[in-house]
Amino acid sequence: MPTSALVFPPAVDMDVLVSSAQIAERVAELGREISKDYQGQSTGHPLVLIGVLKGAAIFLSDLARAIQIDNTFDFVAVSSYGRARVSSGAVKLIKDIDNPIEGRHVILVEDILDTGLTLSYLRGLMLQHKPASLKIATCLDKPERRLVPIEADYVGFKIPNRFVIGYGMDYAEVYRNVPDIRIFPNDAGH
Ligand code: IMP
Ligand code: MG
């Protein structure tokens, strides 16, 4: 569908599901929890955060600073399977990690855990690199939508089955900059 056919209502008119203040508070908590969990777990190298572009970029940048132990970050990108969300075969790696993660403690950082197809694919891929450990942090979790069994180790907020935008999350690439997480009207993205 050409972008011109899409409608982009103003984000300020959309209902807030999670406010920027709630996000900040929760990210700080997750940062403390992760710091505690990885304290003394050193492999001689810093913890690696791997963000899934582009949605997780904002969550990762906040989380990285909320974690009180040294960390580095890298990014992967996967193909979007759009609105069809058909099969796991539809998930494809577009950009791989830049630096080796063998023997490192790694956390995959995602914006939303929805059907689980993306993260189960990425988890399998990252495990092939033989990290010392691999965990998952997601800003949002929509447990109702799961098609494959996968859970995150660190969850910002469990949310109902609504299409949301903001805090890195988009509708057709728009609204990633919105500071609050808001509900896109009429579930138009699903
Ligand atoms: P899944 O878990 O493989 O279904 O994929 C999750 C991905 O779908 C996320 O990384 C988002 O990019 C996208 N996604 C799922 N739900 C939403 C939503 O409500 N708003 C924006 N993107 C979403
Ligand atoms: Mg995404």
Side-chain angles (χ1 to χ4, degrees):
M1 196 192 295
T3 306
S4 56
L6 299 175
V7 175
F8 299 99
V12 288
D13 295 338
M14 300 178 198
D15 292 334
V16 174
L17 184 64
V18 190
S19 71
S20 57
Q22 289 173 303
I23 297 169
E25 194 180 319
R26 185 69 187 122
V27 171
E29 278 176 12
L30 288 176
R32 285 193 291 272
E33 193 183 334
I34 291 170
S35 311
K36 201 165 133 245
D37 290 353
Y38 288 85
Q39 203 69 63
Q41 290 268 304
S42 180
T43 58
H45 295 280
L47 172 67
V48 184
L49 306 179
I50 300 179
V52 185
L53 291 172
K54 305 171 196 166
I58 291 180
F59 176 48
L60 185 145
S61 71
D62 283 344
L63 188 65
R65 288 175 292 179
I67 296 173
Q68 291 134 18
I69 55 174
D70 293 344
N71 61 78
T72 67
F73 36 89
D74 207 334
F75 292 95
V76 290
V78 292
S79 63
S80 140
Y81 40 74
R83 297 184 205 176
R85 294 162 189 257
V86 270
S87 74
S88 55
V91 185
K92 202 176 91 193
L93 194 73
I94 293 172
K95 186 215 167 290
D96 206 346
I97 46 174
D98 293 331
N99 299 303
I101 56 167
E102 186 172 346
R104 307 282 295 269
H105 290 300
V106 175
I107 303 179
L108 261 172
V109 181
E110 178 57 309
D111 54 357
I112 307 190
L113 177 52
D114 189 26
T115 63
L117 294 172
T118 307
L119 277 174
S120 48
Y121 168 76
L122 284 173
R123 183 174 62 181
L125 217 58
M126 293 304 133
L127 284 173
Q128 291 175 15
H129 292 281
K130 300 194 173 11
S133 70
L134 182 65
K135 286 191 182 182
I136 293 172
T138 187
C139 180
L140 301 180
D141 184 8
K142 285 189 204 175
E144 287 170 50
R145 297 247 317 156
R146 209 75 89 247
L147 292 177
V148 290
I150 182 164
E151 295 305 327
D153 302 278
Y154 305 102
V155 176
F157 302 91
K158 274 198 165 61
I159 65 162
N161 183 16
R162 304 296 299 275
F163 194 85
V164 295
I165 55 89
Y167 198 64
M169 287 159 275
D170 72 309
Y171 169 65
E173 296 297 330
V174 182
Y175 308 115
R176 293 192 195 277
N177 64 304
V178 174
D180 305 299
I181 295 168
R182 292 175 183 254
I183 299 173
F184 192 77
N186 307 321
D187 281 356
H190 264 207

